[in-house]
Amino acid sequence: MTGGRAVPVAPSARPDASIIIPVHGHWAATADCLESLAALESRHSAEIIVVDDCSPDDTAERLSGWAGIRAVRTPENLGFVGACNLGAAQAAGDVLVFLNNDTVVHPEWLDALLDTLASDQRIGLVGSLLLGADGAVQESGGIIWQDATGWNYGRGWAADDARVRAVRDVDYCSGASIAVRANVFHDLGGFDTKYAPAYYEDTDLCFAVRQAGFRVVVQPESVVTHAEGLTHGQDDTGGLKRFQAVNRHVFLRKWRRVLEGHGSMRDAADLWRARHRTGGGLVLIVDANVPTPDRDSGSRRMSAIIDILLAMGRYVVFAPAERQAIQPYAQELERRGVTVLVTEEDQQRFFGEAGGLLEAVLLCRPNVAWQYFECVYRHAPQALLIYDTVDLHALRQHRRASFEQSAEQARRADLVWAKESAAMRAADVCLVVSKAEQALLAEIEPTVDVRVLSNIHRPVVTEPDPAGRGGVVFVGGYQHFPNVDAARWAAQEIMPLVRSTSPGATLDLIGSNMPIEVTALDGDGVQAVGWVADLEPVYAGARVAIAPLRFGAGIKGKVAEAIEYGVPVVVTSIAAEGMDLTDGADVLIADNADDFAKAIIRLIDDDELWRTLAGAGQHLLEARFSADAARAVLVDLLDGPGRPVRNSPLQGR
């Protein structure tokens, strides 16, 4: 091959990235690498610098036939370290991407690297997932043990193995495909020349990046196929490969103090301990499903809890009890650094291998808790066991039974309470979402350590304005029966009263999992919209939000969400529960159809009242439902003096 095509040099003088490819012969491999770059589509600008390190073949001649490539030829054979440093000195990009010539890049390879760096300014270096020619994992980040020997994490596993899918802080990433901030690379002096001609220079760089205060992560969505050993062979007793053993001792002398805490490889638990270098403990969360924060309030809370734990330096593993990888939500968790274990096999293996490492286990909802208690007791007796009620399920069902005057519903509620209260007593600490629920449990379960970890909200619209708004909106997830009842009540009884005074008023029913009994409400001033991906336009156009719940429990996320967007809310007493909302100051509260309709009409007609409620509601969010408030609870629980003393009847499990 004498010619070809390639990713063109960026038209700007400052491309997003400079892709630096050191080569020493092996033109066929280089050509395959360049062909894969030519086929790459990216949202980022990039230049390609091929450093021809005195190739013994006709690489220099063949490179001249490729448009859009800057070829740099070394005056003498510099080896991998020298060639990479020379290429970096020629680079104009804000990010330096070092790529072996014996690689083939996959779609999204570059975007995944650069997007990861852009997602967190604390990330200084990010590496790719390396696959072998057989498609199996070659490396998903690397581990360096106490004696400076390396371990290619994930080697031989399937590329979709749950253990390699998440973004992770790692000891090092192979220089076969890494992206590093140019300023960080240059500040550190580039690859340390004491490792010339090759081996351990990439590991040393990763350690130096981390020592400088930056994170080193692997991004499994950036994938390359790597022909391992093509350039230097695989015999570590001769040729350049011998420097792998030589430079290990160089590296060990330089980083001995850091390596003292790295341990050695004895069993699978050591792999779980070493695969993620956060410095914090390992936390397992089990909920019914992967959180879907744009679809329900409980998921928003759980998603925020996960973010807080990650910010606290914890490594989070999430196990959905329903064993479904709901997408794109599972992938979003993995991008944030959470390992998601979907299958029963993966979950059981995790308990068996890593249970003894767990600092804490968070089990959500009664059915989920009882499904996993045995595994926790058997494999993680040392872990702090936290039971998260999400809301008091039995309370909600008892209220429904009372509303419907159903003896059958009351019996079901009693069964739920038996399971729910036993879960509280079996755990070390119980989480509820409101002080009202905490006070209730203090009366009926006085021995249980109950903490309040409420929903987490912040104002989105900071200067709400009533101008140009119209209509009433109700947002809810309709797999939750109280929302189905609320939609029917609003459409069939409340809105006809509103429209008798304000004929132009309309009601939009928004939310996921809408059953036929809700879609059938469409018509006569009511529109059953269903789920929408972006609620901002919905709230931006709404004059009034409503929460006409006649039974339920817990904090109502729909109320806080409307307040986030600066829309005044009309609620029932049930919907206001646990939020310390004041009628006429924060919201309007009404518990029968006539009063509820009158409250909606007041907000339609009265701009001054509208502004008062919109502003007051936002101040309430900042005071009582901030991420800082939730973080304080978790810090006290895991790090502070408030860490629970075990009161479980199964203590010593």
Side-chain angles (χ1 to χ4, degrees), residues 308-309 311-314 359 384 451 453 627-644:
I308 293 169
L309 288 170
M312 289 170 61
R314 263 53 182 196
E359 174 190 11
L384 178 67
R451 314 285 179 95
L453 202 167
D628 286 343
R631 186 180 188 279
V633 174
L634 290 171
V635 168
D636 192 47
L637 199 57
L638 297 178
D639 296 329
R643 186 176 175 91

Side-chain angles (χ1 to χ4, degrees), residues 101-137:
N101 70 320
D102 55 358
T103 60
V104 171
V105 303
H106 292 224
E108 307 299 323
W109 161 76
L110 182 62
D111 287 348
L113 291 175
L114 299 188
D115 291 349
T116 302
L117 286 171
S119 71
D120 186 348
Q121 290 302 308
R122 298 173 302 159
I123 298 176
L125 184 149
V126 56
S128 300
L129 173 67
L130 306 184
L131 303 181
D134 61 356
V137 172

